[in-house]
């Protein structure tokens, strides 16, 4: 795979862009074997309604059931690793003046791959918060109360530990959302990968970028509304295209051929 397979104007854009914003979704984690939200409702969990497993009302009604589902998903997650797509995005960051990675995924794989300052719009399944106060709960506290399902909260007598993810009916963290909108409005290039673009407000980030004058690139094996309105659409999985894009961006930051460190 080399940059010759990319459209020449995309190569130019990767080499001249200074500010890049990225939006990722479940597709970038698909090749790590992370089940999507729907796929995670298999086997034992098939009979449960999503609202029962991922809503404040569901948790209130049956905290143990919801806790056990998340613990099962965490166990699956612990057995997976970031893939070449996550790694390429982590590497790509160093080639631009600013690189803001916004994700809808709660799996934390971007961070595990080395990406910094990831804006996790839907939270992170690995962290815990108090069900009453939403204050973070330390890993030490969790370890000390691991036998309880769910563990109690240190912040409220009636609270429990719950995953730090956005459930149905809950608002996204305002500061995270604002930072994502600002990154979209301020970038030269918006790279979208592995999202169906069906869930708002994340789905509107590419059009915000486009309206502000940025070019939009979409990577997805199946075309979506985002692919159809993007400047470039690369059909295929993230592990195929993201490493090519990172390499192309890296070629630019090393300068023209023959000026690299070894050649001087
Ligand atoms: N590489 C890139 N994209 C892929 C790959 C791959 N290997 N495999 C699948 N895809 C694409 C699919 O074609 C689809 O367009 O990833 C997209 C996944 O779509 P969704 O499952 O709808 O995931 P996402 O867009 O992230 O959903 C947003 O919805 O379910 C909620 O909270 C959940 O954060 C999630 C949000």
């Amino acid at each position: 795979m080399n940059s010759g397979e990319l459209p020449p104007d995309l190569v130019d854009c990767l080499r001249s862009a200074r500010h890049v914003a990225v939006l990722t979704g479940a597709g970038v984690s698909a090749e790590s074997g992370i089940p999507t939200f729907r796929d995670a409702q298999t086997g034992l969990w098939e009979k449960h309604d999503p609202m029962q497993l991922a809503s404040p009302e569901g948790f209130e009604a049956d905290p143990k059931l919801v806790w056990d589902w998340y613990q099962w998903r965490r166990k699956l997650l612990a057995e997976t690793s970031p893939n070449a797509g996550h790694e390429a995005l982590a590497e790509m960051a160093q080639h631009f003046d600013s690189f803001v990675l916004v994700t809808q995924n709660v799996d934390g794989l971007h961070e595990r791959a080395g990406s910094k300052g990831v804006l996790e719009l839907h939270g992170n399944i690995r962290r815990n918060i108090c069900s009453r106060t939403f204050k973070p709960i330390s890993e030490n506290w969790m370890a000390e109360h691991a036998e309880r399902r769910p563990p109690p909260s240190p912040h409220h007598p009636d609270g429990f530990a719950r995953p730090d993810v956005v459930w149905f009916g809950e608002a996204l963290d305002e500061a995270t959302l604002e930072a994502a909108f600002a990154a979209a409005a301020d970038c030269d290039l918006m790279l979208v990968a592995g999202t169906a673009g069906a869930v708002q407000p994340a789905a509107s980030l590419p059009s915000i970028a486009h309206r502000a004058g940025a070019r939009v690139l979409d990577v997805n094996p199946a075309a979506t509304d985002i692919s159809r309105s993007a400047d470039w659409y690369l059909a295929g999985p993230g592990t195929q295209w993201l490493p090519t894009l990172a390499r192309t961006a890296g070629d630019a930051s090393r300068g023209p051929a023959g000026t690299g460190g070894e050649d001087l």
Side-chain angles (χ1 to χ4, degrees):
M1 199 71 47
N2 60 57
S3 60
E5 294 175 47
L6 300 175
D9 58 342
L10 172 56
V11 174
D12 288 346
C13 180
L14 283 166
R15 292 181 173 171
S16 60
R18 293 175 51 209
H19 304 286
V20 174
V22 183
L23 172 66
T24 67
V28 293
S29 292
E31 289 162 281
S32 289
I34 305 286
T36 60
F37 183 83
R38 295 270 159 201
D39 291 341
Q41 280 185 262
T42 51
L44 279 180
W45 306 103
E46 215 160 8
K47 60 182 190 296
H48 297 291
D49 188 84
M51 290 298 283
Q52 219 182 337
L53 296 173
S55 73
E57 296 77 16
F59 187 68
E60 186 80 17
D62 194 343
K64 180 173 171 296
L65 173 83
V66 174
W67 182 256
D68 285 352
W69 185 57
Y70 277 95
Q71 289 299 87
W72 175 73
R73 290 179 62 194
R74 285 168 166 164
K75 193 168 158 284
L76 292 183
L77 193 54
E79 290 158 6
T80 64
S81 309
N83 63 49
H86 298 108
E87 280 158 12
L89 288 171
E91 192 230 305
M92 212 185 285
Q94 63 186 301
H95 303 309
F96 301 97
D97 292 351
S98 73
F99 189 89
V100 180
L101 176 45
V102 183
T103 189
Q104 300 165 89
N105 300 342
V106 297
D107 55 37
L109 286 177
H110 284 304
E111 270 185 346
R112 278 171 64 190
S115 284
K116 303 273 182 272
V118 181
L119 298 175
E120 295 173 313
L121 290 178
H122 298 163
N124 188 318
I125 196 174
R126 299 201 299 167
R127 293 191 302 257
N128 291 286
I129 53 172
C130 168
S131 62
R132 290 294 169 107
T133 65
F134 297 92
K135 286 186 185 158
I137 300 181
S138 73
E139 286 185 19
N140 280 348
W141 174 274
M142 294 304 298
E144 281 162 21
H145 299 82
E147 79 293 350
R148 304 272 299 276
R149 294 158 56 198
S153 165
H155 304 301
H156 193 286
D158 299 326
F160 290 113
R162 57 157 275 188
D164 186 8
V165 298
V166 178
W167 277 339
F168 290 112
E170 291 186 326
L172 277 63
D173 179 69
E174 218 167 290
T176 307
L177 191 56
E178 265 173 33
F181 282 142
D186 291 341
C187 67
D188 311 315
L189 170 66
M190 171 121 214
L191 164 57
V192 182
T195 181
V199 175
Q200 293 294 354
S204 63
L205 292 172
S207 48
I208 290 173
H210 180 73
R211 276 200 301 275
R215 316 295 297 279
V216 178
L217 161 64
D218 189 37
V219 175
N220 196 317
T224 67
D225 284 347
I226 295 175
S227 334
R228 283 182 279 273
S229 57
D231 295 277
W232 302 282
Y233 166 49
L234 299 175
T239 50
Q240 175 189 349
W241 288 114
L242 296 173
T244 308
L245 294 169
R247 232 178 345 261
T248 306
D251 287 347
S253 69
R254 281 195 296 274
T259 60
E262 295 287 297
D263 293 332
L264 290 176

